[in-house]
Amino acid sequence: MTDRTGVEADSSVRTPSADSGPSDGGPGAFDAFRDGWETEIGDGFPLPTFSPATTRDFRVRSRATKVGDVAVTDLHGASAIRTEGPLNGVEDQVRMYVVRSGSWSLGAPLARDEQTVPAGQFLIRHIGRPLHFETVPDTRAKVLVLPAATLRPLLGERQSVSGPVDSAEVRLLVAHANMLYETAADLGPAGMQAAHSALIELAKAVARRRVDDTEPQLALALAQAAKDLADNHLTDPELSGTMLARELNVSVRSLQRAFAAAGESVTAYIRQRRLEEARLALSAPSGRLSVSELAARWQFADSSHFIRAFKKHYGRTPTDYARSTTPARS
């Protein structure tokens, strides 16, 4: 795993930053990026030649990991990135671009095969020969390099599939890819094989535009995608297993099985996260909400239900907890 500095990384990647290299795009920033890439990813995934304008003002943070013949990279470029020079040889790879902000263009400008992936869209495309690419400033994107043999037959005549980044299939793939940043370094051979197989199955789901939610290998990714989605809707009164299953385009039963595989339940996860957020609010140094306000904000039926749930989870009432975190007056 590498983390090379320029600007703050994509918040969807929940791993601690280990910054290296200059943060201001000064001399050495591009060299630090290139050296880190060659050390961690290198073999089978060579970097193209970058424009001197890019390397002189290289304000880019990236994070990358490799699982077998699959590479996953997250980039946030405060500066633009552009390749140039001759591109030779054959690549025969499938690449997926998930663009959160900015845009990512493939191919030479005005060329027949040029494609631009705007913010909020993904593109999964077979790359038969090397292509130039260019990003605009403030582009945040996840790029996956995938084996062509398995995925190319699923891409149709145009050899590409595109769509919104919030589709169920992309959410599942992104959730699994993000987990790799936290787990790849600790995986043994069997774990690496399982992680690789799940990545390939999820990439197939993106290409087919549907998820096989009965596939056991996808249970972990499905549960993580549901957790990510739940974390963004904790104050929503409609948040439930049914809502999450609908958003992820799977059955409620499949979602329940995915959580059960890790010894959890959807309902318990939602309640635990709401209690965690309420506890953090009680620890705030100023502007604390009242118990009744917290109960309403985090969707407990009333103050009594909130107090009982909080005490059961943390061993004390919200009021007692708040008192314990109040600094003593001198």
Side-chain angles (χ1 to χ4, degrees):
M1 226 176 358
T2 63
D3 187 11
R4 292 169 291 281
T5 308
V7 289
E8 190 165 343
D10 189 336
S11 60
S12 67
V13 183
R14 299 179 179 177
T15 55
S17 293
D19 296 339
S20 61
S23 61
D24 59 359
F30 178 75
D31 291 341
F33 166 83
R34 182 187 56 205
D35 293 347
W37 178 271
E38 291 175 352
T39 299
E40 300 292 341
I41 302 297
D43 294 344
F45 306 96
L47 287 174
T49 300
F50 288 83
S51 160
T54 291
T55 57
R56 281 194 301 267
D57 180 30
F58 196 77
R59 290 172 288 120
V60 176
R61 171 173 286 181
S62 71
R63 196 181 308 233
T65 190
K66 181 170 65 173
V67 182
D69 56 0
V70 177
V72 182
T73 306
D74 283 85
L75 297 105
H76 179 188
S79 59
I81 309 172
R82 186 170 71 252
T83 60
E84 66 173 33
L87 295 173
N88 302 311
V90 176
E91 289 197 333
D92 195 28
Q93 295 172 334
V94 168
R95 293 187 192 159
M96 181 174 177
Y97 305 85
V98 181
V99 181
R100 299 289 180 183
S101 66
S103 67
W104 193 296
S105 296
L106 297 166
L110 304 180
R112 281 178 50 189
D113 60 353
E114 184 189 23
Q115 279 184 284
T116 295
V117 191
Q121 294 288 305
F122 79 87
L123 170 71
I124 181 168
R125 170 176 170 168
H126 176 248
I127 307 292
R129 58 183 177 79
L131 287 176
H132 284 294
F133 71 85
E134 182 174 0
T135 70
V136 300
D138 197 30
T139 292
R140 291 174 181 257
K142 181 184 294 291
V143 182
L144 293 92
V145 182
L146 302 151
T150 305
L151 294 167
R152 185 179 180 183
L154 304 177
L155 297 178
E157 292 183 4
R158 294 188 62 194
Q159 290 295 285
S160 67
V161 173
S162 60
V165 298
D166 61 354
S167 69
E169 300 81 15
V170 176
R171 281 177 170 172
L172 289 170
L173 179 58
V174 166
H176 183 66
N178 287 345
M179 280 193 293
L180 293 177
Y181 291 115
E182 299 178 358
T183 60
D186 300 322
L187 293 177
M192 289 290 280
Q193 181 58 50
H196 178 273
S197 297
L199 268 175
I200 298 302
E201 287 301 318
L202 288 164
K204 287 181 182 178
V206 173
R208 292 173 176 147
R209 301 180 187 272
R210 60 181 174 82
V211 175
D212 179 5
D213 58 358
T214 64
E215 171 57 58
Q217 293 185 90
L218 304 188
L220 187 59
L222 177 54
Q224 187 60 51
K227 290 177 180 179
D228 292 344
L229 188 57
D231 288 348
N232 291 324
H233 291 82
L234 292 174
T235 61
D236 187 342
E238 301 301 318
L239 178 60
S240 64
T242 300
M243 186 199 97
L244 295 173
R246 182 176 64 248
E247 290 293 319
L248 294 170
N249 198 27
V250 298
S251 69
V252 174
R253 180 60 186 144
S254 293
L255 186 61
Q256 290 170 336
R257 282 199 302 266
F259 273 78
E264 298 181 287
S265 76
V266 182
T267 301
Y269 178 80
I270 293 171
R271 172 161 288 206
Q272 173 194 328
R273 287 290 294 112
R274 283 172 164 167
L275 287 169
E276 286 175 359
E277 293 298 326
R279 180 184 63 80
L280 290 173
L282 286 166
S283 305
S286 62
R288 292 180 181 175
L289 299 177
S290 68
V291 170
S292 59
E293 288 171 331
L294 286 170
R297 177 171 176 76
W298 300 111
Q299 303 304 316
F300 289 87
D302 52 40
S303 297
S304 297
H305 283 84
F306 171 57
I307 292 168
R308 285 197 297 272
F310 193 96
K311 186 174 182 179
K312 181 177 180 181
H313 194 73
Y314 292 110
R316 63 181 74 181
T317 67
T319 301
D320 289 341
Y321 183 86
R323 285 198 193 104
S324 72
T325 61
T326 301
R329 293 184 180 179
S330 56

